Amino acid sequence: MNEQQAMAPSTFQKEGEKAHPCPSCAHDSMAVFHRLAAFPVHSTLNMKTREAALDYPRGTISLGFCSLCGFISNVDFDPNLIDYSPQCEESQGFSPTFNAFARKQALELIERHGLRNKQIIEIGCGKGEFLTLLCELGSNRGVGFDPAYVQERTQSAARDRITFINDYYSEKYEHYSADFICCRMTLEHISSTGPFMKMVRRSIGDRNTTVFFQVPDVTRILKDCCFEDIYYEHCSYFSGSSLAKLFERCGFQILALDRAYDGQYLTLEARPSSSHSNPPSPCGDDLEMLRGHVATFPQRLEQKWDHWRTTLKELHEQGKRVVLWGSGSKAVAFTTFLDVREEVQFTVDINPHRQGTYLAGTGQFIVSPAFLQEYRPHVVIIMNAVYVGEIKKDLEQLNLEPHILTL
């Protein structure tokens, strides 16, 4: 069996395979609808040599769907394979588009929840950019938890009001109290979502602490077959309804639930409660819709893969120089799922901490935009369409007019 065949999705659970327990609602109601073998277990860890990138350990992605709550999880996820460290480079903070989004989001949260001179905790703070924003703009104090934090990256007048802890948030930090807890793009990395959220709720106790969580929206991933948003570190996938149900089961009242960033993210705001409530959101109860998307996902995904395989093959046969723009997890998923090799040699990233390293799995060299002035690509494939405007401006400044494709 070659690698492409090994990575072909299964259309149904293996015969005789028992249902898996749902990490969100704890029922044995999760059936696998999609399997992928040999995916690099890290997609943001800097690979300093091509050999290291090609030989990096791989794991299996087996997406299970809970027919009761709608939660989706990688039932073969092994947390022992994950090693978040300062060598991980997940930051989107070099993008003007993303920075404008984060600043607007921080200002809105500060105004909506009166976050001035308050104590804030961020779970999974990355390199600390968002927590720093909240503390700068609201004169707040903060504590951030993340094993991938790098102290030298925080250059802010608010630095003396922020404590960063290079560790995962866990029971041993329950004694830290806050007026506001935020957790952006982290819950999807946690496999035991139910126990984790119950732990967060215990840490709040009787305090009137507001929480803010942001995760990718799996509804878009399933509906549009966004295979670039499926990778090993993401072991948990939420729709609006399954996210709300999780928080309600764990003792929270939903204040707001919405979509953001061109529909890519779900955002949830909640506070402690002993009763259930219906979330005031456009998501509604999406269980039946999810069931429909899940049932047809493998077939539709194979069609999308065939489209991209054909496109890359034709461009390569025509002698076109093709580069990817964006070297994060989406690029690793794109190149790994399609087994991209000689068709694309380089991927561009504006993050200087990614430049000079290699994509995990397929080994494309990561370069700065300036590299393109000499390389002069015929085609640029943008990994995230939300950045098209920003990237077009960068290309114009380089006096380049390549054909642009987006996922």
Side-chain angles (χ1 to χ4, degrees):
M1 179 180 290
N2 62 33
E3 186 170 359
Q4 287 287 12
Q5 291 171 326
M7 298 191 67
S10 61
T11 57
F12 49 82
Q13 188 157 316
K14 291 179 180 178
E15 185 176 354
E17 183 177 351
K18 294 182 179 179
H20 300 269
C22 175
S24 184
C25 72
H27 289 91
D28 290 334
S29 53
M30 184 164 276
V32 173
F33 68 95
H34 177 59
R35 274 196 174 90
L36 298 160
F39 195 97
V41 297
H42 264 295
S43 54
T44 60
L45 188 66
N46 281 340
M47 303 290 161
K48 296 184 179 180
T49 68
R50 190 167 188 270
E51 291 74 19
L54 294 174
D55 295 338
Y56 200 76
R58 296 176 181 244
T60 298
I61 298 174
S62 298
L63 296 186
F65 173 67
C66 177
S67 59
L68 294 181
C69 75
F71 181 65
I72 291 174
S73 173
N74 177 12
V75 300
D76 283 329
F77 178 75
D78 183 356
N80 295 317
L81 296 177
I82 301 297
D83 181 25
Y84 293 115
S85 72
Q87 288 302 312
C88 289
E89 189 51 53
E90 77 299 324
S91 175
Q92 295 172 273
F94 293 90
S95 163
T97 301
F98 188 82
N99 285 340
F101 164 70
R103 185 179 182 85
K104 181 175 183 290
Q105 189 176 67
L107 286 169
E108 289 175 348
L109 290 171
I110 289 170
E111 291 304 316
R112 191 155 56 245
H113 300 291
L115 301 180
R116 300 188 186 281
N117 299 302
K118 301 292 186 180
Q119 183 69 35
I120 297 174
I121 285 176
E122 183 170 16
I123 300 170
C125 66
K127 299 302 182 286
E129 295 108 332
F130 192 69
L131 181 59
T132 299
L133 264 181
L134 290 172
C135 291
E136 285 178 345
L137 299 174
S139 298
N140 295 301
R141 305 172 302 280
V143 179
F145 296 88
D146 202 305
Y149 174 72
V150 177
Q151 183 176 358
E152 295 76 20
R153 297 278 283 274
T154 303
Q155 303 294 326
S156 168
R159 180 65 181 85
D160 60 350
R161 302 197 305 273
I162 311 173
T163 300
F164 290 102
I165 298 175
N166 279 90
D167 198 1
Y168 299 102
Y169 182 80
S170 65
E171 288 85 354
K172 66 180 178 180
Y173 299 114
E174 286 186 12
H175 61 283
Y176 280 83
S177 61
D179 302 292
F180 185 80
I181 296 175
C182 66
C183 181
R184 299 163 72 250
M185 313 311 290
T186 297
L187 190 59
E188 65 273 18
H189 295 255
I190 297 170
S191 55
S192 301
T193 51
F196 179 81
M197 287 311 307
K198 289 177 182 177
M199 181 264 294
V200 173
R201 178 64 184 86
R202 285 197 307 272
S203 74
I204 295 174
D206 296 330
R207 291 184 295 273
N208 191 28
T209 300
T210 302
V211 301
F212 173 78
F213 278 68
Q214 178 176 294
V215 297
D217 183 4
V218 77
T219 307
R220 180 188 67 91
I221 295 172
L222 294 174
K223 178 177 178 291
D224 297 334
C225 291
C226 300
F227 65 92
E228 69 275 12
D229 286 318
I230 300 173
Y231 35 93
Y232 196 80
E233 296 100 318
H234 279 197
C235 51
S236 298
Y237 297 81
F238 297 92
S239 68
S241 181
S242 66
L243 185 64
K245 290 173 184 176
L246 169 65
F247 276 74
E248 290 176 342
R249 279 192 303 271
C250 294
F252 290 93
Q253 176 191 3
I254 311 299
L255 302 176
L257 178 58
D258 213 336
R259 293 185 173 91
Y261 216 48
D262 198 29
Q264 296 185 27
Y265 303 149
L266 290 169
T267 60
L268 179 145
E269 296 164 48
R271 64 186 173 202
S273 174
S274 58
S275 62
H276 297 298
S277 62
N278 294 318
S281 82
C283 301
D285 190 349
D286 49 28
L287 187 57
E288 285 303 317
M289 178 184 64
L290 289 174
R291 286 172 176 159
H293 290 331
V294 164
T296 61
F297 181 76
Q299 296 85 358
R300 292 185 292 111
L301 179 58
E302 189 62 44
Q303 293 173 0
K304 192 167 185 178
W305 280 357
D306 285 344
H307 163 75
W308 278 107
R309 288 175 187 138
T310 300
T311 298
L312 291 172
K313 180 182 179 182
E314 290 177 350
L315 290 171
H316 183 62
E317 291 175 347
Q318 294 166 9
K320 302 291 188 182
R321 292 186 296 275
V322 180
V323 299
L324 309 185
W325 195 299
S327 71
S329 301
K330 294 177 189 292
V332 172
F334 181 82
T335 56
T336 300
F337 290 165
L338 300 176
D339 194 28
V340 178
R341 303 290 174 164
E342 66 276 3
E343 301 95 335
V344 179
Q345 297 183 37
F346 302 100
T347 183
V348 181
D349 207 297
I350 60 175
N351 184 340
H353 302 285
R354 295 284 290 171
Q355 296 163 8
T357 64
Y358 298 81
L359 275 192
T362 51
Q364 282 75 18
F365 191 54
I366 301 171
V367 299
S368 71
F371 172 84
L372 301 185
Q373 284 185 304
E374 180 179 350
Y375 188 65
R376 305 196 72 80
H378 300 100
V379 179
V380 172
I381 304 176
I382 298 175
M383 295 291 98
N384 190 337
V386 79
Y387 299 112
V388 167
E390 176 182 312
I391 292 169
K392 283 184 175 180
K393 289 181 181 178
D394 289 342
L395 290 169
E396 288 172 2
Q397 291 177 355
L398 295 169
N399 294 317
L400 297 172
E401 296 182 349
H403 181 60
I404 290 177
L405 299 175
T406 59
L407 298 188

